């Protein structure tokens, strides 16, 4: 550790060391230490994808919504082509979740819509979009999203969803 912290090590070596240190500390459940290491790694190389992913995830886990949003947005803007579709979808879901936590349901709806552009049948994204649309009292959108769930649902759930759709339609 001392050798990599010393002046003789290259910035790339120090960045790799801090990133690995963050991984080890995270695996040991030492989130505070992991956060410090990932931040040092990020300062050394803000373009390192693994560090950026880890730092965004730990900020999200701890409810640091402003920083988590910035980092997830950076991932999606600067590294989208390097991410799998599942990672892109998860990134938009997290951005939506952050906006819900910040009381910005309208912006959350936009993020969930982007997640559904990646996979229109992704159940967690549909469910998150339903919750956000309900916060906005956009009942037509809630109904349309619930209809998407019907195709994936078991018979008991289909009945429940149709009942909810009927109730929402009657209340409009």
């Amino acid at each position: 550790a001392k050798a990599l912290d010393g002046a003789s090590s290259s910035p790339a070596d120090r960045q790799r060391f801090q990133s690995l240190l963050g991984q080890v500390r995270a695996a040991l459940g030492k989130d505070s230490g992991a956060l410090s290491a990932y931040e040092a790694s990020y300062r050394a190389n803000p373009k390192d994808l693994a560090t950026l992913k880890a730092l965004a995830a730990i900020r999200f886990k701890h409810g640091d919504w402003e920083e988590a949003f910035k980092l997830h947005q950076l991932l999606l803007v600067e590294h989208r082509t390097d991410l799998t579709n599942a990672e892109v979808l998860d990134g938009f879901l997290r951005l939506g979740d952050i906006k819900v936590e910040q009381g910005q349901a309208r912006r959350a709806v936009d993020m969930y819509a982007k997640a559904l552009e990646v996979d229109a049948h992704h159940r967690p994204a549909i469910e998150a979009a339903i919750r956000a649309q309900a916060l906005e009292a956009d009942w037509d959108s809630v109904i349309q999203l619930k209809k998407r769930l019907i195709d994936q649902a078991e018979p008991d759930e289909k009945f429940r969803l149709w009942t909810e759709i009927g109730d929402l339609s009657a209340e409009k």
Side-chain angles (χ1 to χ4, degrees), residues 13-165:
D13 287 341
R14 288 191 298 275
Q15 184 272 320
R16 277 192 299 277
F17 171 75
Q18 291 296 332
S19 182
L20 287 171
L21 183 60
Q23 290 174 33
V24 170
R25 287 177 172 167
L28 293 172
K30 298 181 181 211
D31 286 352
S32 177
L35 179 59
S36 296
Y38 286 134
E39 285 175 336
S41 177
Y42 180 73
R43 282 190 302 275
N45 181 3
K47 297 203 180 280
D48 182 66
L49 181 59
T51 296
L52 188 55
K53 285 181 190 179
L55 188 55
I58 204 164
R59 290 287 192 189
F60 182 87
K61 178 181 175 183
H62 289 279
D64 183 356
W65 304 128
E66 190 173 324
E67 283 301 311
F69 187 85
K70 288 176 189 174
L71 293 165
H72 280 90
Q73 195 170 42
L74 184 62
L75 271 169
L76 291 168
V77 170
E78 297 290 327
H79 297 281
R80 187 168 182 158
T81 58
D82 300 320
L83 302 172
T84 66
N85 279 347
E87 289 171 322
V88 170
L89 189 138
D90 183 62
F92 282 122
L93 279 175
R94 286 185 177 204
L95 288 174
D97 292 347
I98 290 165
K99 289 303 166 190
V100 167
E101 290 293 332
Q102 293 177 325
Q104 298 177 28
R106 178 75 249 150
R107 295 222 28 227
V109 166
D110 296 340
M111 295 300 120
Y112 295 139
K114 289 180 181 188
L116 289 168
E117 288 173 11
V118 176
D119 182 352
H121 303 291
H122 188 261
R123 186 177 185 99
I126 296 169
E127 291 170 344
I130 288 170
R131 289 188 299 275
Q133 293 287 15
L135 289 171
E136 286 289 292
D138 183 349
W139 305 117
D140 288 332
S141 294
V142 169
I143 289 169
Q144 293 307 311
L145 289 162
K146 284 184 180 278
K147 285 180 179 178
R148 283 196 202 181
L149 288 178
I150 289 172
D151 294 335
Q152 305 173 27
E154 297 295 321
D156 288 346
E157 185 183 15
K158 283 183 182 184
F159 177 78
R160 181 184 57 78
L161 287 166
W162 279 118
T163 302
E164 290 172 3
I165 289 169

